[in-house]
Amino acid sequence: MWISFFKLRLFCCLLAVLMVVVLIINVTQVEYLDHETVSATFIDSSGQFVSSQMTRISRNPYCGYEHQTLSSRERTEEDSLLAALQWQVPDVGPVPFVKSTDPSSSYFVILNSAAFFKVGSQLEVLVHVQDFQRKPKKYGGDYLQARIHSPKLQAGAVGRVVDYQNGFYKVFFTLLWPGKVKVSISLVHPTEGIRVLQRLQEEKPHRVYFKSLFRSGRISETTECNVCLPGSLPLCNFTDVYTGEPWFCFKPKKLPCSSRINHFKGGYLKGLLTAAETAFFQSGVNIKMPINSSGPDWVTVIPRRIKETNNLELSHGSGTFPSGYYYKDQWRPRKFKMRQFNDPDNITECLQRKVVYLFGDSTIRQWFEYLTTFVPDLVEFNLGSPKNVGPFLAVDQKHNILLKYRCHGPPIRFTTVFSNELRYVANELNGIVGGKNTVVAIAIWSHFSTFPLEVYIRRLRNIRRAVVQLLDRSPKTVIVIRTANAQELGPEVSLFNSDWYNFQLDTILRKMFSGVGVYLVDAWEMTLAHYLPHKLHPDEVIVKNQLDMFLSFVCPLET
């Protein structure tokens, strides 16, 4: 009897030890990604896996990001993304301001000028940049934005810019509507300014800093927090145990790490530029300034025949550029027919019996605000959340609609977010059952503009894995990604939220979610193509078009 009892105790002890070992292994592996899930989504537009024969990009390591454990395909993907975003800025040494790009003395010409063009034709424009001494520049690297537009028709579309690295740029437009079409080219930043932005991205990722309040009883302390906190001071490690997303705060002197109660933006570092560098960031001089034409800046476009027009609309593949255009202030995607939800009842009918999740930054919070303002039956439920922070909840009991908004996890530059409300999008997606009555929309970009690109790639990799898993278990779930958008820029904003930074993030987002089975609301083109000034939070007419596109994915036209 005692022998049997001893054997049973020995067996239980061995079983307990085995369980502890398995638990430790799982915990140490928790920050690693599910290689098979992510690898399956890394497919280019042609459906082929990207070649792994690639040179490793040489970049300054950022904290522990060079120590990430990635599968071969994840590493190849990251190298491919970083290679695609290598901005060709020549190493010409220090450049005085007078030899930097001057938009007022630069010019463009329409190359294939003709008496008229047909809708669908290509228009080519050559841009020649010069310095402030009116001398031609011999190298490229400027950041230009280009669009065609017809003010009377409230029509507009973006162009594709090609840098020839010799002071010349060519811009390609597709003429998509009839009438008088005008060309507009803008210098967002000169080459010399881009070099400064690159330096800040690599050397000063902490130029936006964050803080947290720790409190216990009557004792409270505030310390600095970030993705990375170099130095030897004791840290509180708030790295997410499920995604491995890193986040740290300096440890309070008198309080434990568990006493953290909130997160908020600390501020922006000052004195980032030398006196010489400051000259490259001047409003009204070289930030988002127009480049004029040396000849006619417009062309006449005539309609195609009906048969040609039908072929034009139906013949575009997945790589369509531009993705759409404005006509009479309505966005017209080139790949499908977008519905117009001009009446609140149309939106109610579309969202009836659905749960809609909005995750991300303030640009998708605009969707929540638009819907709750425009649809009277969609009533916001007061959760006592901080203004402009959330989480927010709206309900239409009559039509069984539930609308939720929640901000993404750090880094996030909101005023104050309670610690227990700091949720990562990937974890939230893992908690959604999904199904035909579930809709998810995600926008995550603006708060990552100051960090090295690896930080954003890691965040999207985690979200993508969760998206793939959600679609695997519930294929009828509708998932929509809202892209980045252009915004107003001044000397200071350029150092933190430049369109050049956000263009990089937008490119990464599109490439990483290509072929995953999500829908894309092209906010980037929708802001660049519109006649209204660029804003971080676009005006209502642009938001309305974004929502029309989003709802068209949820409730497409019957075909």
Side-chain angles (χ1 to χ4, degrees):
M1 174 181 173
W2 287 105
I3 294 175
S4 299
F5 180 69
F6 176 77
K7 289 182 178 180
L8 181 61
R9 288 188 61 184
L10 181 63
F11 175 76
C12 291
C13 289
L14 291 173
L15 183 62
V17 170
L18 180 62
M19 290 177 66
V20 170
V21 170
V22 171
L23 180 62
I24 291 174
I25 292 174
N26 285 336
V27 169
T28 57
Q29 293 295 322
V30 75
E31 72 170 36
Y32 303 159
L33 299 179
D34 181 339
H35 301 333
E36 302 225 353
T37 301
V38 177
S39 300
T41 65
F42 180 35
I43 305 175
D44 66 10
S45 58
S46 64
Q48 301 297 317
F49 284 103
V50 175
S51 170
S52 61
Q53 302 300 316
M54 186 181 303
T55 303
R56 177 76 177 139
I57 303 301
S58 177
R59 291 167 59 87
N60 294 329
Y62 179 58
C63 287
Y65 276 78
E66 72 274 23
H67 300 308
Q68 288 186 90
T69 301
L70 304 177
S71 70
S72 60
R73 285 205 175 101
E74 289 167 354
R75 178 64 67 189
T76 299
E77 178 186 43
E78 186 167 293
D79 287 348
S80 174
L81 291 169
L82 296 177
L85 290 167
Q86 288 294 299
W87 199 265
Q88 298 298 316
V89 176
D91 185 12
V92 293
V95 177
F97 171 71
V98 294
K99 291 188 176 296
S100 66
T101 305
D102 175 16
S104 65
S105 63
S106 302
Y107 61 90
F108 71 85
V109 293
I110 296 175
L111 291 180
N112 52 341
S113 58
F116 57 85
F117 294 81
K118 285 188 175 181
V119 170
S121 300
Q122 293 292 307
L123 182 67
E124 296 182 12
V125 173
L126 186 68
V127 183
H128 190 193
V129 296
Q130 299 187 139
D131 62 25
F132 284 88
Q133 297 175 325
R134 307 191 72 84
K135 294 180 179 179
K137 294 192 70 176
K138 303 299 183 183
Y139 54 87
D142 300 289
Y143 179 36
L144 307 179
Q145 290 175 348
R147 72 183 183 108
I148 50 174
H149 55 107
S150 298
K152 290 184 178 180
L153 298 174
Q154 294 179 307
V158 301
R160 187 190 302 276
V161 179
V162 176
D163 185 351
Y164 286 96
Q165 296 297 314
N166 59 2
F168 287 92
Y169 301 78
K170 189 174 282 188
V171 187
F172 299 88
F173 297 101
T174 301
L175 300 169
L176 296 166
W177 63 89
K180 181 179 178 179
V181 177
K182 180 179 171 62
V183 175
S184 292
I185 311 289
S186 296
L187 173 75
V188 182
H189 295 299
T191 309
E192 297 74 22
I194 296 295
R195 293 174 65 187
V196 176
L197 296 179
Q198 286 180 322
R199 177 181 66 80
L200 293 177
Q201 189 176 46
E202 292 291 327
E203 299 177 6
K204 300 286 185 180
H206 59 287
R207 60 192 181 280
V208 176
Y209 57 95
F210 306 88
K211 292 187 176 183
S212 275
L213 175 65
F214 296 77
R215 179 183 293 159
S216 180
R218 296 183 178 180
I219 302 175
S220 62
E221 295 182 59
T222 300
T223 71
E224 188 175 333
C225 309
N226 218 317
V227 174
C228 176
L229 292 172
S232 58
L233 292 176
L235 298 177
C236 290
N237 186 351
F238 296 112
T239 297
D240 183 65
V241 296
Y242 299 104
T243 62
E245 291 286 354
W247 192 255
F248 301 91
C249 296
F250 286 121
K251 191 178 185 303
K253 295 179 180 178
K254 299 179 181 179
L255 295 173
C257 295
S258 58
S259 62
R260 181 178 67 151
I261 65 170
N262 66 23
H263 161 96
F264 57 96
K265 179 183 68 179
Y268 299 88
L269 290 182
K270 306 294 184 181
L272 295 169
L273 305 183
T274 65
E277 290 173 335
T278 302
F280 303 134
F281 298 91
Q282 299 183 63
S283 295
V285 177
N286 51 17
I287 298 178
K288 283 204 173 180
M289 290 298 294
I291 294 176
N292 295 319
S293 171
S294 66
D297 62 355
W298 59 274
V299 296
T300 299
V301 183
I302 62 174
R304 283 178 175 263
R305 295 194 301 270
I306 294 177
K307 183 177 180 181
E308 292 176 322
T309 303
N310 290 338
N311 290 338
L312 175 72
E313 292 297 324
L314 296 175
S315 63
H316 303 295
S318 60
T320 303
F321 183 88
S323 68
Y325 61 100
Y326 283 106
Y327 191 77
K328 296 182 179 179
D329 238 2
Q330 294 179 353
W331 184 250
R332 295 187 176 186
R334 297 174 67 200
K335 291 170 65 176
F336 73 102
K337 294 290 185 181
M338 190 175 88
R339 296 177 59 186
Q340 299 297 318
F341 292 82
N342 298 325
D343 190 283
D345 291 341
N346 301 145
I347 297 179
T348 298
E349 181 183 1
C350 174
L351 297 182
Q352 190 167 1
R353 294 185 298 277
K354 287 182 171 56
V355 180
V356 181
Y357 298 90
L358 305 178
F359 296 119
D361 54 39
S362 57
T363 61
I364 205 165
R365 189 188 69 221
Q366 277 191 289
W367 291 13
F368 182 93
E369 294 164 350
Y370 178 91
L371 289 171
T372 53
T373 301
F374 186 67
V375 182
D377 290 338
L378 200 53
V379 180
E380 185 173 354
F381 188 82
N382 186 4
L383 298 175
S385 302
K387 184 180 180 181
N388 297 333
V389 175
F392 300 127
L393 175 69
V395 179
D396 179 349
Q397 291 185 320
K398 180 180 178 181
H399 301 98
N400 198 17
I401 301 172
L402 185 61
L403 176 67
K404 299 180 177 183
Y405 164 78
R406 179 177 290 280
C407 67
H408 63 73
I412 191 159
R413 303 173 198 160
F414 286 178
T415 49
T416 302
V417 185
F418 295 121
S419 297
N420 61 346
E421 298 293 356
L422 288 172
R423 313 277 183 86
Y424 289 93
V425 174
N427 293 339
E428 293 298 300
L429 292 174
N430 288 332
I432 295 175
V433 175
K436 65 179 182 178
N437 290 323
T438 301
V439 181
V440 176
I442 302 168
I444 181 166
W445 57 277
S446 180
H447 300 258
F448 289 80
S449 57
T450 55
F451 293 95
L453 298 175
E454 290 87 344
V455 177
Y456 189 60
I457 292 172
R458 178 174 194 156
R459 182 62 55 91
L460 291 191
R461 192 185 291 124
N462 279 321
I463 293 173
R464 185 180 61 185
R465 177 182 63 176
V467 164
V468 171
Q469 291 172 343
L470 174 55
L471 291 175
D472 280 347
R473 63 180 178 268
S474 301
K476 293 185 178 181
T477 305
V478 175
I479 301 179
V480 179
I481 307 292
R482 181 205 186 277
T483 72
N485 61 260
Q487 68 173 91
E488 68 277 23
L489 295 179
E492 185 173 23
V493 174
S494 296
L495 307 183
F496 303 96
N497 255 46
S498 168
D499 282 359
W500 182 75
Y501 289 138
N502 294 327
F503 170 74
Q504 293 180 309
L505 301 182
D506 187 68
T507 302
I508 290 172
L509 183 143
R510 292 168 189 267
K511 288 180 177 292
M512 291 190 68
F513 280 93
S514 175
V516 177
V518 301
Y519 298 99
L520 203 70
V521 172
D522 199 336
W524 187 260
E525 287 195 21
M526 293 170 88
T527 49
L528 285 180
H530 204 271
Y531 56 83
L532 286 173
H534 300 163
K535 293 182 180 180
L536 174 60
H537 301 111
D539 285 333
E540 185 175 299
V541 63
I542 299 176
V543 176
K544 195 264 184 191
N545 276 288
Q546 293 173 3
L547 263 298
D548 284 347
M549 193 168 186
F550 164 67
L551 293 168
S552 296
F553 293 138
V554 179
C555 306
L557 287 168
E558 297 293 333
T559 58

